[in-house]
Amino acid sequence: MLPEHSKPGDTIVQCNDCGHLWPYSGSNELAVCPKCGLNTRVMANQRGMVLSSDERTCIEIDQYSQTVRRALSLGLKQGDRDYRKGIADAFPTKGGEYCGI
């Protein structure tokens, strides 16, 4: 299952310290873990991006740049089903449970 409050376009980040997973929708390189407060580098610790919270699916984007991640996120947040389908066809999807972790 995806972390609570996940929305399409959110990046799933895992804390370096406590291992907590959460959805991150910002554009900063660092995110603060909501559980322990540690600053976590988003690009190094992302575990996928939410494609559909209803279907509980994520796409793998770990190897892509921050610019690509932002563009995908903006497109997914617009809720266009054709766009989501195109992204699902172009990117590998992860199995849903915490984006395959």
Side-chain angles (χ1 to χ4, degrees):
M1 144 169 104
L2 295 176
E4 193 175 352
H5 308 298
S6 298
K7 300 180 301 294
D10 285 351
T11 297
I12 304 301
V13 180
Q14 185 171 26
C15 179
N16 285 337
D17 189 46
C18 69
H20 179 68
L21 290 145
W22 75 96
Y24 177 72
S25 60
S27 59
N28 295 327
E29 290 185 27
L30 292 176
V32 177
C33 174
K35 187 173 181 183
C36 72
L38 181 78
N39 280 334
T40 302
R41 189 165 301 283
V42 174
M43 289 299 294
N45 294 290
Q46 65 185 355
R47 297 293 177 258
M49 181 177 286
V50 178
L51 178 63
S52 171
S53 50
D54 296 337
E55 298 170 7
R56 303 207 179 281
T57 55
C58 289
I59 54 173
E60 293 186 51
I61 58 163
D62 302 351
Q63 69 272 32
Y64 296 98
S65 72
Q66 191 168 18
T67 304
V68 171
R69 185 176 64 80
R70 285 181 187 161
L72 287 171
S73 179
L74 288 173
L76 290 169
K77 287 177 183 176
Q78 292 174 357
D80 183 343
R81 288 186 182 272
D82 291 334
Y83 182 80
R84 276 193 220 157
K85 184 179 178 333
I87 294 300
D89 291 342
F91 288 82
T93 57
K94 293 188 173 190
E97 181 144 335
Y98 289 119
C99 294
I101 293 177

